[in-house]
Amino acid sequence: MSMRSSDNVEREAGASPVGRRGRETGSPEAEASQAPARSGISLSEETKKKLTLWQMYLNAVKEKPLLTKSLTTGVLMAVGNVAAQGIVIAKGKQKGISLRKVLSFVVFGVFLSGPLGHAWLKFLNGRKNKLKGQKLILYKIALDRLAFGPCFN
């Protein structure tokens, strides 16, 4: 019994040089969608959609980093607040979800935390210094925890 590679099987089946979703095989989208198949991992359609959504998010971060990070922060803060309120509700200390609290977290995330976090990381990553490797990482962590962290606690 001979082992055939997936390339040989596709050629024998008459596969064209166009990827599975109609894209050329050299495009980044085609490469990303076909990489797991070449490694022998089969992905469900749901997983392929998630990869596509992740790729869309990464593209949005490249194209409009401030807007994307601000909106992402707002959404994550809303989800976190709803989860926290759910715990309080489960303990019997609150009767229902307070939309006012959720919206205040969204506004805080979109207009303050997101933009400030973006600017801070841009500052940290843009600084020129002589440190390399782990020392650079420790330096950035120390600056972040000592200078930026206390502002939000």
Side-chain angles (χ1 to χ4, degrees):
M1 182 175 193
S2 67
M3 299 284 283
R4 295 186 291 174
S5 73
S6 62
D7 291 339
N8 290 337
V9 172
E10 287 178 4
R11 265 190 241 119
E12 289 175 12
S16 70
V18 176
R20 288 183 181 86
R21 294 185 183 171
R23 298 180 190 110
E24 292 183 24
T25 54
S27 71
E29 294 86 3
E31 293 296 322
S33 67
Q34 293 175 7
R38 284 192 295 244
S39 65
I41 300 171
S42 63
L43 298 176
S44 68
E45 287 300 314
E46 183 178 326
T47 304
K48 288 179 186 175
K49 287 179 187 174
K50 287 179 184 176
L51 286 176
T52 303
L53 287 174
W54 180 246
Q55 291 167 346
M56 289 170 52
Y57 173 77
L58 292 177
N59 187 46
V61 169
K62 281 183 186 176
E63 297 294 321
K64 296 182 179 180
L66 179 59
L67 178 64
T68 304
K69 291 174 187 177
S70 295
L71 293 175
T72 301
T73 302
V75 168
L76 291 175
M77 290 188 82
V79 170
N81 185 262
V82 168
Q85 287 189 55
I87 292 169
V88 173
I89 291 168
K91 291 182 176 182
K93 296 181 180 181
Q94 184 175 318
K95 295 205 185 233
I97 298 291
S98 168
L99 290 179
R100 183 172 175 242
K101 288 180 182 178
V102 174
L103 287 176
S104 66
F105 271 83
V106 169
V107 169
F108 180 80
V110 170
F111 295 106
L112 190 67
S113 182
L116 284 177
H118 171 76
W120 176 250
L121 290 175
K122 193 172 181 179
F123 167 76
L124 275 183
N125 292 328
R127 291 185 52 112
K128 302 285 184 202
N129 58 50
K130 297 176 185 177
L131 299 173
K132 302 282 183 210
Q134 290 181 340
K135 287 182 181 180
L136 177 61
I137 293 169
L138 290 173
Y139 171 74
K140 286 182 178 182
I141 291 172
L143 261 180
D144 187 56
R145 295 297 99 202
L146 296 172
F148 190 71
C151 297
F152 286 94
N153 288 327

